[in-house]
Amino acid sequence: MEEAKKEILDAVLAYHDKTRSEGPFVPGETEIWPSGAVLDADDRVAFVEAALDMRIASGASARKFESALARKVGVRKAHLTNSGSSANLLAVTALTSPQLGERALVPGDEVVTVAAAFPTTVNPILQNGLVPVYVDIELGTYNTTAERVERALGPRTKAIAIAHTAGNPYEVEEIARLAADRGLFLIEDNCDALGSRYRGRYTGTFGDLATVSFYPAHHLTMGEGGCVLTSDLNLARVVESLRDWGRDCWCAPGESNTCFKRFSWQLGDLPPGYDHKYIYSHVGYNLKTTDTAAALGLSQLGKMDVFCAARRANWARLREGLDGVPHLLLPEATADSDPSWYGFVLTVADDAPFSAADLIDFLEERRIGTRRLFAGNLLRHPAYTHRPRRVAEELVNTDRVMESTFHLGVYPGLTEEMIDYVVASVKEFAASRR
């Protein structure tokens, strides 16, 4: 059987070699994507091998990935999920667990966040009956500040949940200290920032909980997938329960009686000795991923440092090339940070003789992919018009982002030739509109 598998995997390698060539880059014809996955022969083989073994549910590869990622970034526990959005849902919902006692969040409690966000950073706050408190951001870094967060705190504020925008860390050490001093929880949405550092420490390790995404646009991919990180073992247990149907049992799928008292528990109003595998301590979900996805993730994880270095290099090449172009505000790393960039964010000046839409149209016509900075201002979208909220300050910069900001790609699949063409195109457009 092993010989047959080897023959198949050798054929997979040969297939990969035949299909990997994409031809030369042709300016204006070859698509320059704003994001994307970089998949090599090892990734293809890992995925196919897991499929050959019919590892169709979460299993050994998932657990191995969780341990490896936790060690890599420096947290005690990582729990894989089927998406970064699910990871955010688990992180926020975990803070409502009765097992947290008096610290548990209840409907009506407030969570400080930003409106210049991807929706699924905020959605779990609303889905748990909590009230988002919106603060503004800074142009250039596109993050909020500890000072803004502190001003937004009120008597019902119980948590802070903010993303590191486009891979650029916010003042997470200061905000974590603020949260600790005030007895608040901190959730870091690290979906766009895996590998970023703030004051030498990985983002995703400062908060009570952090989330990661493995969608193809992000730093590593499983196709679909996400993860919740924490060093708080009590919160880790709650996250695992919520992810695994809400059950109280911690046995992995296919295992039984690892507690050695499967039929000796008495919880809730259940009869003594009710099967622990079917006792539920939370109103949960099934948000696990598959072992085929995790096998791909394991292969990708070994390339994390290389991918992050490529993102930094591509961002730096864009930053140097576009320096001095009139009417454009270029991005800046937060002080004391080393971002693993998700994208290169540009804002068109208010007094520019062109709009962001004009520049976007020009670039897209040249097959240079662009994306807005996520939702711009969430509160302007129909889904959020009548939802509970408290706006802590006027969202001046958030509205500017909605009108005038977009980002370009920096992912590792881009070549220097592509980056230089992007720079030349932006310069040509700006020169033509003076």
Side-chain angles (χ1 to χ4, degrees), residues 129-364:
L130 307 169
V131 178
V133 178
Y134 295 104
V135 295
D136 205 10
I137 61 169
E138 302 295 308
L139 297 178
T141 66
Y142 302 97
N143 284 309
T144 194
T145 64
E147 182 180 359
R148 289 183 184 275
V149 171
E150 185 170 18
R151 288 200 307 261
L153 301 181
R156 290 216 64 173
T157 306
K158 297 293 182 64
I160 303 164
I162 303 172
H164 299 284
T165 304
N168 195 15
Y170 53 83
E171 297 171 345
V172 64
E173 184 178 277
E174 292 87 342
I175 291 175
R177 188 182 308 120
L178 173 65
D181 291 345
R182 301 295 183 91
L184 310 176
F185 290 106
L186 172 61
I187 295 174
E188 290 179 74
D189 183 332
N190 203 48
C191 291
D192 292 342
L194 184 63
S196 293
R197 293 179 184 269
Y198 186 71
R199 294 184 177 164
R201 179 175 162 186
Y202 278 126
T203 56
T205 65
F206 291 85
D208 298 281
L209 294 155
T211 58
V212 185
S213 173
F214 302 119
Y215 188 71
H218 291 109
H219 293 58
L220 306 177
T221 190
M222 296 184 180
E224 303 284 354
C227 202
V228 182
L229 307 174
T230 186
S231 290
D232 185 315
L233 297 183
N234 187 36
L235 285 174
R237 179 71 191 93
V238 173
V239 167
E240 182 178 40
S241 174
L242 287 164
R243 183 198 64 176
D244 297 3
W245 304 280
R247 65 181 189 160
D248 197 78
C249 175
W250 55 80
C251 290
E255 295 182 351
S256 297
N257 204 28
T258 57
C259 65
F260 299 108
K261 55 177 185 176
R262 175 181 169 189
F263 299 106
S264 301
W265 291 84
Q266 202 290 307
L267 296 173
D269 295 326
L270 291 166
Y274 197 80
D275 188 348
H276 192 225
K277 288 181 72 69
Y278 289 94
I279 295 177
Y280 300 92
S281 53
H282 293 94
V283 178
Y285 317 88
N286 178 8
L287 298 178
K288 298 190 301 301
T289 190
T290 65
D291 243 33
T292 47
L296 174 58
L298 274 169
S299 179
Q300 287 266 297
L301 184 58
K303 296 180 274 282
M304 176 176 154
D305 292 342
V306 173
F307 286 165
C308 292
R311 288 176 174 274
R312 291 181 174 103
N314 287 340
W315 188 93
R317 195 174 187 90
L318 281 167
R319 187 65 176 74
E320 181 180 2
L322 294 175
D323 190 38
V325 174
H327 310 302
L328 294 180
L329 174 65
L330 302 187
E332 298 287 349
T334 300
D336 298 322
S337 75
D338 181 17
S340 176
W341 296 98
Y342 174 81
F344 189 89
V345 185
L346 286 170
T347 296
V348 175
D350 285 342
D351 60 353
F354 56 86
S355 68
D358 293 333
L359 178 51
I360 288 169
D361 287 345
F362 178 84
L363 295 173
E364 292 283 347

Side-chain angles (χ1 to χ4, degrees), residues 27-29 358-370 421 429:
E29 295 183 17
D358 293 333
L359 178 51
I360 288 169
D361 287 345
F362 178 84
L363 295 173
E364 292 283 347
E365 286 176 2
R366 294 189 165 206
R367 300 186 66 79
I368 297 170
T370 64
Y421 178 64
F429 174 85

Side-chain angles (χ1 to χ4, degrees), residues 25-26 29-34 364 367-369 411 414 418:
F25 171 66
V26 180
E29 295 183 17
T30 304
E31 190 83 29
I32 300 177
W33 292 98
E364 292 283 347
R367 300 186 66 79
I368 297 170
Y411 81 103
L414 300 179
M418 291 175 175

